Amino acid sequence: METPVETYEAPLTPKNELILTPEAQSYLLTAGKWATFLGILGFIFCGLFLLLALSMGTIMSKVASMQPYNPATAMMAGMGGGLTAVYVLLDLLYFFFALYLYQFATKIKAAINFSDSIHLTAGLKKLKSFFKLWGIVAIVIIALYVLGIICVIAFAASMGAAMHQ
């Protein structure tokens, strides 16, 4: 004897209209709450990282002054400004990740709380921007890894050729 399978039948709607079930709305609201938390946490870490970035020149100079006769520390002192610039750029990138998450969260929560499709669309647009940024960063990192591997192979080949001469 077979048990009947319970199916969900959506109400008849125009073909291009999307209806969010209460369960889907609950999932979006929960995602919005977590995105708020992660966005705020991202802003806090951005602030702390910016303080570190702006302190790199001073930190490197202090390390160099502790060992004045070591050429490696003198080189480190000269790199302080460059490290500051790199860290500020990384912090700016991280800020946009946090910003997109936070904007997604605020718009999605408003969309669910007020049943507003305009906010829903704007929130999903911010989520798209978040993932697009992640994708671009992933492609750049993969390209840098490939470039690094090619450089290591070329260096190893040139060293091998030099050893056989």
Side-chain angles (χ1 to χ4, degrees), residues 26-118:
S26 171
Y27 293 152
L28 279 173
L29 196 57
T30 301
K33 289 176 183 176
W34 280 108
T36 300
F37 170 72
L38 293 173
I40 291 171
L41 201 60
F43 291 141
I44 291 169
F45 281 121
C46 277
L48 293 173
F49 198 70
L50 185 62
L51 288 175
L52 174 69
L54 296 175
S55 304
M56 276 323 278
T58 305
I59 291 170
M60 293 300 208
S61 295
K62 289 291 181 190
V63 168
S65 69
M66 293 161 102
Q67 298 178 357
Y69 300 110
N70 186 345
T73 56
M75 187 174 71
M76 282 176 38
M79 291 176 28
L83 280 176
T84 296
V86 168
Y87 282 0
V88 167
L89 289 175
L90 287 173
D91 192 46
L92 183 64
L93 178 67
Y94 192 75
F95 173 80
F96 280 104
F97 281 113
L99 179 66
Y100 289 149
L101 262 182
Y102 186 77
Q103 288 174 334
F104 160 75
T106 57
K107 292 186 185 321
I108 285 297
K109 289 191 293 186
I112 300 302
N113 289 333
F114 301 115
S115 298
D116 182 6
S117 62
I118 293 173

Side-chain angles (χ1 to χ4, degrees), residues 8-29:
Y8 172 76
E9 292 185 30
L12 296 175
T13 59
K15 207 171 196 171
N16 291 333
E17 187 175 335
L18 175 69
I19 296 189
L20 291 176
T21 64
E23 186 178 14
Q25 291 179 26
S26 171
Y27 293 152
L28 279 173
L29 196 57

